């Protein structure tokens, strides 16, 4: 860290902001975290109701970033970690109205009915692709079709993208949405060879491949632990920052209890959402230099947490969940088998399903009244999983602006954030709209922001 402690304002108490605050406070800096909502944690939240444990946002974590592994150890959370059920290695994809286990090995690939013989041959032949330097970005759908063909796009990529981004692979940027694949093509040509090289390098370094996990009391355990580790009075909830004015120090103006306040800081970190950044006044001229970020697409997503008696569901639910390709023309994007994935998600003798609806594919469905949505979802679940009767427990959560879409042309938004930092030294921007949408990526972003702000 630098020689002298600094005063640093952090805008946003999602996982990125909380991680940055934790690191800076540990280093001895004076930190204040401003959060407009009445609770910290952003989209991460867990509820325990009548024996059912349900998540408000993400349902699991993948230990894919060293920053996440280190943070778990630092917060002494390893005894709270709940590894995924080994059955979660199996994923189902719907084809011709039936859930089929996705092949997870070459022998399984040859036996599966998910892909045609021609598609299997194309998959295996991809290993011979040569390195390629593209002159311009392309859609993720075009990128994957170049390597594996259209059938893999329809029954592999499309459902995967719906599960991760709730997005449209024909609109997502290959370069920005999945930069690792883009780099693998540049270095190795074959994406399969690139993945093999990554696995080999990981093994050589002694780094273990992390698994999927949650916590015994749900994912809110992580933000709760970060909040608990902060010094008193660092976190300011129900506090909306309205403007930033640079100078010898930064003046942060914020509103709490309908009263306008201001404080000065040496530096400012923004871990805000794209829409909040777009509305933020920065500078002395009352301008909104990041107003263009309002154009980032955030499709709506609705999640239905549905509880059934075990005998109501014919499917063994022996996997992570089920994804539904767009070509199957169903109302749902996918289903997590929540009670299979982790213990304690449903009372004894019951099962829990988390159903996702909407996204870029069918945004209008996410806005339906709950009774209409339940009718549509129940029909799909009956046909695909053999669900009979009404759920004995359910909860509904709608996200009108769910996940930022790193669509083609996204570099202009990344350039706008970089230009804003150059224009206003001492301002550092990061988080979901810049560093990746997954929770581990947001944690890594928080660590990076803390390092930059303290330098």
């Amino acid at each position: 860290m630098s020689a002298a402690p600094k005063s640093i304002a952090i805008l946003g108490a999602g996982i990125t902001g909380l991680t940055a605050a934790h690191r800076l406070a540990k280093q001895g800096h004076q930190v204040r975290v401003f959060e407009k909502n009445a609770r910290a944690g952003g989209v991460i939240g867990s509820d325990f109701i009548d024996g059912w444990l349900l998540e408000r946002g993400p349902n699991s974590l993948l230990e894919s970033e060293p920053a996440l592994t280190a943070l778990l150890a630092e917060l002494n959370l390893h005894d709270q970690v709940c590894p995924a059920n080994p059955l979660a290695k199996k994923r189902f994809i719907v084809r011709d109205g039936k859930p089929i286990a996705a092949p997870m090995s070459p022998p399984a690939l040859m036996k599966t009915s998910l892909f045609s013989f021609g598609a299997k041959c194309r998959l295996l032949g991809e290993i011979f692709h040569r390195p390629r330097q593209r002159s311009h970005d392309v859609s993720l759908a075009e990128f994957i079709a170049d390597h594996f063909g259209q059938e893999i796009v329809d029954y592999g990529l499309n459902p995967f993208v719906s599960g991760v981004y709730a997005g449209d692979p024909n609109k997502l940027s290959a370069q920005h949405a999945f930069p690792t694949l883009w780099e693998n093509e540049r270095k190795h040509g074959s994406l399969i060879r690139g993945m093999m090289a990554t696995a080999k390098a990981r093994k050589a370094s002694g780094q273990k491949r992390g698994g999927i996990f949650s916590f015994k009391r749900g994912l809110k355990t992580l933000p709760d632990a970060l909040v608990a580790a902060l010094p008193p009075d660092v976190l300011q909830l129900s506090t909306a920052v309205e403007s930033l004015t640079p100078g010898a120090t930064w003046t942060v103006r914020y509103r709490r209890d309908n009263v306008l306040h201001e404080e000065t800081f040496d530096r400012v970190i923004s871990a805000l959402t794209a829409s909040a950044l777009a509305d933020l006044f920065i500078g002395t001229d009352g301008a909104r230099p990041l107003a263009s970020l309002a154009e980032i697409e955030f499709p709506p997503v609705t999640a239905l947490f549905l509880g059934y008696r075990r005998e109501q569901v014919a499917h063994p639910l022996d996997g992570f969940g089920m994804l539904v390709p767009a070509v199957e023309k169903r109302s749902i994007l996918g289903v997590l088998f929540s009670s299979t994935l982790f213990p304690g998600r449903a009372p004894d003798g019951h099962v829990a399903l988390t159903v996702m609806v909407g996204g870029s594919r069918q945004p209008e469905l996410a806005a339906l009244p709950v009774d209409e949505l339940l009718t549509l979802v129940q029909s799909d679940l009956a046909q695909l999983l053999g669900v009979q009767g009404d759920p004995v427990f359910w909860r509904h959560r709608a996200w009108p602006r769910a996940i930022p879409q790193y669509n083609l042309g996204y570099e202009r938004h990344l350039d706008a954030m970089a230009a804003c930092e150059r224009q206003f030294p001492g301002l550092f921007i990061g988080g979901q709209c810049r560093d990746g949408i997954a929770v581990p990526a947001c944690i890594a972003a928080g660590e990076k922001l803390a390092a930059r702000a303290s330098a």
Side-chain angles (χ1 to χ4, degrees):
M1 65 173 278
S2 57
K6 298 177 176 66
S7 60
I8 302 173
I10 299 176
L11 316 186
I15 199 67
T16 299
L18 289 176
T19 300
H22 170 74
R23 182 61 54 226
L24 291 167
K26 292 276 286 185
Q27 293 173 348
H29 297 285
Q30 297 174 332
V31 179
R32 293 268 273 176
V33 183
F34 298 95
E35 171 57 51
K36 70 175 182 178
N37 295 310
R39 55 174 289 274
V43 298
I44 299 175
S46 313
D47 296 306
F48 190 74
I49 305 169
D50 299 332
W52 304 89
L53 200 165
L54 52 152
E55 301 288 359
R56 300 183 183 186
N59 282 264
S60 62
L61 295 178
L62 176 62
E63 200 169 347
S64 57
E65 290 280 353
L68 172 57
T69 303
L71 194 60
L72 294 175
E74 193 171 327
L75 295 171
N76 296 314
L77 289 179
H78 279 301
D79 62 338
Q80 298 297 314
V81 167
C82 182
N85 187 327
L87 288 175
K89 292 179 181 178
K90 189 185 292 187
R91 271 101 164 143
F92 293 92
I93 296 175
V94 175
R95 179 153 194 174
D96 299 327
K98 297 177 181 179
I100 300 170
M104 307 299 284
S105 67
L109 173 64
M110 298 314 296
K111 295 177 183 177
T112 185
S113 60
L114 183 60
F115 303 124
S116 69
F117 178 75
K120 294 173 186 178
C121 292
R122 183 79 183 264
L123 266 169
L124 296 174
E126 195 271 346
I127 200 168
F128 299 107
H129 277 226
R130 296 184 170 216
R132 178 175 179 178
Q133 309 287 332
R134 294 181 186 261
S135 60
H136 62 278
D137 197 6
V138 296
S139 74
L140 189 59
E142 180 180 341
F143 183 85
I144 295 300
D146 284 348
H147 284 263
F148 302 110
Q150 187 60 39
E151 186 177 339
I152 301 300
V153 170
D154 289 341
Y155 283 97
L157 176 67
N158 180 277
F160 172 76
V161 164
S162 293
V164 174
Y165 269 93
D168 181 349
N170 292 296
K171 296 162 64 176
L172 283 169
S173 154
Q175 184 175 5
H176 298 299
F178 290 90
T180 300
L181 294 181
W182 184 267
E183 189 64 15
N184 278 346
E185 183 190 62
R186 190 184 71 80
K187 283 186 177 180
H188 304 282
S190 163
L191 305 185
I192 294 175
R193 283 210 318 274
M195 288 187 286
M196 292 168 62
T198 299
K200 184 178 179 181
R202 185 189 298 114
K203 184 177 181 180
S205 67
Q207 181 184 350
K208 293 182 179 180
R209 182 176 178 83
I212 296 169
F213 71 95
S214 182
F215 301 96
K216 295 173 183 177
R217 300 293 294 181
L219 288 187
K220 79 180 187 72
T221 300
L222 180 54
D224 284 357
L226 285 167
V227 170
L230 291 175
D233 301 323
V234 164
L235 182 60
Q236 304 295 307
L237 298 175
S238 302
T239 303
V241 172
E242 296 188 354
S243 68
L244 306 174
T245 305
T249 56
W250 282 84
T251 299
V252 177
R253 293 182 179 83
Y254 59 91
R255 190 172 296 277
R256 186 172 59 232
D257 298 329
N258 211 28
V259 177
L260 192 63
H261 306 264
E262 63 178 49
E263 290 184 45
T264 57
F265 297 88
D266 296 322
R267 304 212 169 152
V268 176
I269 286 175
S270 169
L272 296 172
T273 63
S275 56
L277 274 171
D279 290 338
L280 188 62
F281 294 100
I282 307 175
T284 57
D285 56 358
R288 292 185 294 133
L290 295 173
S292 62
L293 269 59
E295 299 169 16
I296 295 174
E297 180 188 356
F298 281 77
V301 173
T302 288
L304 287 169
F305 182 92
L306 306 177
Y308 297 93
R309 295 185 303 277
R310 184 63 190 90
E311 61 268 21
Q312 287 182 267
V313 183
H315 194 280
L317 303 180
D318 53 341
F320 186 97
M322 174 183 72
L323 293 170
V324 184
V327 293
E328 291 290 312
K329 301 189 183 306
R330 295 282 178 173
S331 300
I332 61 177
L333 299 175
V335 184
L336 289 174
F337 302 162
S338 300
S339 53
T340 301
L341 189 52
F342 301 113
R345 269 48 184 177
D348 289 345
H350 294 75
V351 294
L353 306 176
T354 302
V355 184
M356 304 298 180
V357 177
S360 294
R361 183 190 300 175
Q362 295 171 305
E364 69 283 356
L365 296 186
L368 285 177
V370 180
D371 55 346
E372 292 183 34
L373 192 57
L374 272 170
T375 299
L376 282 174
V377 165
Q378 286 278 92
S379 175
D380 278 347
L381 294 182
Q383 295 175 48
L384 298 174
L385 298 176
V387 174
Q388 297 179 341
D390 294 329
V392 298
F393 177 90
W394 65 271
R395 287 294 185 274
H396 164 269
R397 181 167 291 277
W399 299 96
R401 293 173 57 81
I403 301 170
Q405 301 295 295
Y406 284 41
N407 286 338
L408 285 168
Y410 201 82
E411 60 271 7
R412 67 191 179 95
H413 301 304
L414 298 174
D415 291 346
M417 288 181 268
C420 189
E421 288 181 335
R422 290 193 298 270
Q423 183 181 357
F424 301 108
L427 173 65
F428 305 92
I429 303 168
Q432 200 183 42
C433 62
R434 191 179 193 183
D435 300 291
I437 65 169
V439 173
C442 291
I443 290 171
E447 295 285 3
K448 182 170 68 174
L449 285 167
R452 293 176 64 204
S454 62

